[in-house]
Amino acid sequence: MNAALLALPLLLAASAPRTPVLVELFTSEGCSSCPPADAALARLAQKQPVEGVELIALGFHVDYWDYLGWKDPYASPEYGERQRRYALDGDDNRVYTPQMVVDGTRSFVGGEDEARAQAAVAAKRSKVPLRLSTRVEGDTVVVRVRMDMAPAQGLELWAALAEDGLSSDVKRGENVGRKLSHAAVVRTLATLPALKAEEGGFVSEARLKLAPGWKREKLRAVAVLQAPAGAVSGVAAVELASK
């Protein structure tokens, strides 16, 4: 048989689009159990170990461990509130760190093996294709999401900017003396306005402010279409446009 014909299935597999799956980690630099989960999230994002799946990672740093003596520099009360909404509607009704949530439906103590297994299951569910693009205007990133069809009623569209390559030398608290590294740290997020009909589809835009000190070359934008505190119907990620 012709060698080119033998290679064709491999070429088709390599070019087939991967199904995007969102992996959220709720974590804190004030939690001694969190560093292994932070490392697991980084490996998942870098190695992409699930065949046919694009793992889109987001690290949400919560502030409710700050009272132990170390204020997590990446934490926000908004992220803890997001986690609590999952607990109210989730499958175990608990809030803890490190907690991973895969595609808004399954939560568990942050771990690489469980995340891979849950991502493989989540990838079997159909997703709404999101076409995500960005443009930088001074200290603002304009995030634009386009869909071919209007989504189902009751879904929310939100976007985040996440930064890789962050680290801290922890001076106090449970992780005192440790240098902690993080990937996909959520720097900011916003709910997008209602989609508007445009020729050939539906579009929504949001403007997200860039703060001094954020490394733009390490940032990426993530857009998520999701039931409130529930299942993810669509997700996409892109690097920031250079201009």
Side-chain angles (χ1 to χ4, degrees), residues 46-173:
Q46 180 180 11
K47 295 183 178 180
Q48 295 293 323
V50 184
E51 184 178 357
V53 176
E54 178 190 3
L55 296 174
I56 297 178
L58 288 178
F60 288 94
H61 286 238
V62 299
D63 68 345
Y64 51 77
W65 292 118
D66 288 0
Y67 77 95
L68 294 177
W70 177 252
K71 183 177 174 60
D72 189 323
Y74 311 116
S76 168
E78 184 179 7
Y79 307 156
E81 179 57 31
R82 175 172 177 79
Q83 185 184 23
R84 283 186 284 274
R85 289 198 301 270
Y86 271 135
L88 290 173
D89 295 334
D91 57 350
D92 59 10
N93 200 35
R94 291 188 297 146
V95 169
Y96 55 88
T97 56
Q99 182 181 32
M100 276 186 177
V101 180
V102 172
D103 253 2
T105 59
R106 296 295 301 173
S107 64
F108 48 90
V109 176
E112 194 169 354
D113 291 343
E114 183 68 13
R116 291 172 61 175
Q118 293 298 337
V121 173
K124 296 177 182 177
R125 296 190 290 270
S126 62
K127 288 278 189 5
V128 176
L130 305 183
R131 295 204 291 276
L132 173 61
S133 63
T134 66
R135 68 181 186 272
V136 178
E137 298 178 352
D139 64 350
T140 300
V141 177
V142 181
V143 175
R144 178 180 172 89
V145 180
R146 184 181 178 88
M147 302 179 211
D148 291 336
M149 300 178 62
Q153 292 291 323
L155 298 181
E156 298 176 345
L157 183 62
W158 57 273
L161 296 181
E163 185 174 351
D164 287 324
L166 294 173
S167 64
S168 296
D169 293 310
V170 180
K171 305 298 184 183
R172 293 178 296 280

